[in-house]
Amino acid sequence: MPARSARPATRKVRLPLAEVYRLLEPGPVVLVTTGGPGRPDVMTMSWLTMMEFEPPRVGCVISDRNHTFGRLVATRECVINVPTVELARQVVGCGNVSGRRVDKLRRFGLTAVAATKVGAPLLEECWARLECRIADDRLVEEYGFFVLEVVAAWIDRAREDPRTLHHRGRGVFAVDGELLKLPSRKK
Amino acid sequence: MPARSARPATRKVRLPLAEVYRLLEPGPVVLVTTGGPGRPDVMTMSWLTMMEFEPPRVGCVISDRNHTFGRLVATRECVINVPTVELARQVVGCGNVSGRRVDKLRRFGLTAVAATKVGAPLLEECWARLECRIADDRLVEEYGFFVLEVVAAWIDRAREDPRTLHHRGRGVFAVDGELLKLPSRKK
């Protein structure tokens, strides 16, 4: 499906797939976009985990009460967009209303741009964007748990200090603070 | 299995199970302890997600190359311990060596105390501790993905500013920084 805006993404460069885990392993709140019939939609999500480095696989839980659930099941594609603290208002806003009733991209001033491998749109305002396809749906019926494969990834390398959000429940978010560098022998 | 130390946990109080998501949803690095034959063991883990509020279910990925994998499969129990920044050295250390060769609790000065519902030990030095049992192992063979149910949870309420760690890969960790409170209509 075409995204709302035809203008190309700006300032974003392709991220090697082997680096995707460095975005999601820290547990940021993300914005999940879906395409399909009608306008593009977006939901806020915090229940996700890396499952494999390369090809990168991501596991996530989406309740069948969410509008996104049916759209993801139908199209088998989505985009995981990683916002930074500057988008905190939009992140909470997208979590508080349903795409069944509201054009969330319009309401929260988010710009859809075309992805390269999936029909769901990228969000121009986000620091990073991961194009995903469903890889395994065995646990969807019981837990709403989707295994996704990341098929293309984009990042804004111009952002020097991207600070992501970590939801602690009830509208409280911890923002990334200081960075520690410790000697690790592993990824 | 008895934990190494028989002394009871200090300063920890029971956390209502409905509050567990507030600990893990933000994506902290955790220390997973297992019991079973021989000394207790611990591994560092970042690939986990909440899957259900109550009873709290947690999904996590543990490679079958890790010593913990066989112990978890055999005992079907573990404890997810949530460390704060003060334990950063131990967190990285536990991720760099294998429990097959090293008594990691001894090497890193971590204290095992008895749990209440599982044989795996609690780590006294950690801010929070979640006693877990395997709830679903359908995706273990293919992805190393375990669905765990949290059956008891403990937290140190005396800690006023617990700052957890978020792994960005290659030994870089973001430490929790400022807190934002935004109006949310949802959990």
Side-chain angles (χ1 to χ4, degrees):
Chain A
M1 296 295 297
R4 170 181 296 144
S5 166
R7 76 184 167 92
T10 57
R11 295 173 299 120
K12 303 296 195 301
V13 298
R14 189 177 289 274
L15 180 73
L17 292 179
E19 296 291 311
V20 164
Y21 81 99
R22 303 188 70 183
L23 298 176
L24 298 189
E25 186 169 323
V29 180
V30 300
L31 294 170
V32 178
T33 43
T34 44
R39 62 192 179 222
D41 190 39
V42 55
M43 71 169 273
T44 304
M45 180 168 78
S46 282
W47 287 12
L48 75 166
T49 180
M50 286 305 299
M51 294 183 69
E52 183 56 88
F53 289 109
E54 193 173 12
R57 277 196 295 264
V58 178
C60 67
V61 177
I62 297 176
S63 164
D64 61 10
R65 296 183 299 275
N66 283 316
H67 188 47
T68 294
F69 180 92
R71 294 165 65 89
L72 176 55
V73 167
T75 62
R76 301 188 71 79
E77 297 175 341
C78 65
V79 173
I80 296 175
N81 303 271
V82 185
T84 49
V85 61
E86 295 78 9
L87 293 177
R89 187 184 60 82
Q90 289 91 329
V91 165
V92 174
C94 286
N96 280 346
V97 297
S98 172
R100 287 190 194 90
R101 298 186 306 274
V102 174
D103 181 343
K104 293 205 266 187
L105 279 82
R106 184 179 301 270
R107 176 178 288 192
F108 297 108
L110 297 168
T111 310
V113 295
T116 60
K117 296 198 172 176
V118 302
L122 312 172
L123 292 181
E124 175 65 13
E125 290 78 9
C126 285
W127 169 49
R129 296 91 62 92
L130 311 175
E131 304 183 24
C132 300
R133 290 200 189 107
I134 294 177
D136 192 317
D137 57 10
R138 273 179 282 174
L139 296 194
V140 168
E141 185 173 343
E142 189 159 353
Y143 304 107
F145 183 78
F146 295 85
V147 181
L148 305 174
E149 181 177 328
V150 180
V151 294
W154 306 93
I155 193 163
D156 181 355
R157 291 280 192 203
R159 297 283 293 275
E160 286 181 8
D161 180 27
R163 294 191 300 146
T164 61
L165 298 161
H166 303 269
H167 191 225
R168 292 192 177 180
R170 300 184 192 155
V172 177
F173 297 83
V175 184
D176 285 339
E178 62 175 320
L179 293 183
L180 289 182
K181 177 80 176 75
L182 293 161
S184 174
R185 299 212 323 252
K186 296 190 179 172
K187 276 188 172 175
Chain B
M1 296 294 298
R4 170 180 295 143
S5 165
R7 77 183 166 92
T10 57
R11 296 172 297 121
K12 303 296 195 300
V13 297
R14 188 177 290 273
L15 180 72
L17 292 179
E19 297 290 312
V20 164
Y21 82 98
R22 305 189 68 183
L23 298 176
L24 298 188
E25 186 170 322
V29 180
V30 300
L31 294 169
V32 178
T33 45
T34 44
R39 62 192 178 223
D41 190 39
V42 56
M43 71 169 273
T44 304
M45 180 170 77
S46 283
W47 288 11
L48 75 165
T49 179
M50 288 304 301
M51 294 183 69
E52 183 55 90
F53 290 109
E54 193 173 12
R57 277 196 295 264
V58 178
C60 66
V61 177
I62 298 175
S63 164
D64 61 9
R65 296 184 299 275
N66 284 316
H67 188 47
T68 295
F69 180 92
R71 294 165 66 87
L72 176 55
V73 167
T75 63
R76 301 189 72 79
E77 297 175 344
C78 66
V79 173
I80 297 175
N81 303 271
V82 185
T84 49
V85 62
E86 295 78 9
L87 293 177
R89 186 184 60 81
Q90 289 92 327
V91 165
V92 174
C94 286
N96 280 346
V97 298
S98 172
R100 288 191 192 89
R101 299 185 306 273
V102 174
D103 181 343
K104 292 205 267 187
L105 279 81
R106 185 179 301 271
R107 175 177 289 192
F108 297 109
L110 297 169
T111 310
V113 296
T116 59
K117 296 199 171 175
V118 302
L122 311 173
L123 292 181
E124 175 64 14
E125 290 78 9
C126 285
W127 169 50
R129 298 90 62 91
L130 311 175
E131 304 182 24
C132 299
R133 291 200 189 105
I134 294 177
D136 192 317
D137 57 9
R138 273 179 283 174
L139 297 194
V140 168
E141 186 173 342
E142 189 159 352
Y143 305 107
F145 184 79
F146 294 85
V147 181
L148 306 174
E149 181 177 329
V150 180
V151 294
W154 306 92
I155 194 162
D156 181 356
R157 291 279 191 205
R159 297 282 293 277
E160 285 181 10
D161 181 27
R163 293 190 301 147
T164 62
L165 298 162
H166 303 267
H167 190 226
R168 292 192 179 181
R170 300 184 191 155
V172 176
F173 296 83
V175 184
D176 286 337
E178 62 174 320
L179 294 184
L180 288 184
K181 178 80 175 77
L182 293 162
S184 174
R185 299 214 321 254
K186 297 191 178 172
K187 275 187 170 174

